[in-house]
Amino acid sequence: MGLQVCQKEDAYHRALLIAPDNNKMCNLGICLMKQGRIAEAKETLRRVKPAAMDGPRGVDSHLKADERAQQMLRDLESEMMNKSGGDREM
């Protein structure tokens, strides 16, 4: 999985240089989360613009990807909090 994820990350970065849009930003955020790079993913997702400012494909072209990325981030943060909370109890 490691090489494939790195190749996807590189492809998203290149695509964003050519034609930035919210959908690519969301997918890059998901890719970073899959690598455990949560802080970078959060920063990437913060740069996603509101739907009204999205690219030529329409105002909601990124909403599914954004929803998926935000849910994944919440799940990972919850998992991290549960792990750190469990460590303190021992």
Side-chain angles (χ1 to χ4, degrees):
M1 179 175 108
L3 181 60
Q4 185 180 19
V5 172
C6 290
Q7 289 172 337
K8 286 181 181 180
E9 178 189 352
D10 187 49
Y12 288 130
H13 280 293
R14 283 180 292 163
L16 284 164
L17 288 173
I18 295 167
D21 71 39
N22 288 332
N23 194 46
K24 291 177 194 131
M25 293 289 281
C26 292
N27 287 329
L28 175 59
I30 290 169
C31 184
L32 292 168
M33 282 188 271
K34 287 182 177 181
Q35 295 177 66
R37 295 161 56 191
I38 307 303
E40 289 175 75
K42 283 174 112 171
E43 184 56 37
T44 298
L45 294 173
R46 278 190 198 113
R47 295 192 323 243
V48 173
K49 297 176 184 131
M53 303 173 112
D54 203 6
R57 285 194 269 160
V59 296
D60 63 349
S61 66
H62 74 287
L63 293 180
K64 267 191 168 175
D66 185 48
E67 184 179 309
R68 179 175 170 226
Q70 295 298 336
Q71 182 61 51
M72 188 175 186
L73 183 60
R74 284 190 296 272
D75 292 347
L76 286 170
E77 287 179 330
S78 176
E79 185 179 310
M80 289 170 57
M81 290 196 54
N82 287 339
K83 284 182 181 178
S84 72
D87 291 344
R88 282 186 245 156
E89 293 175 10
M90 292 182 154

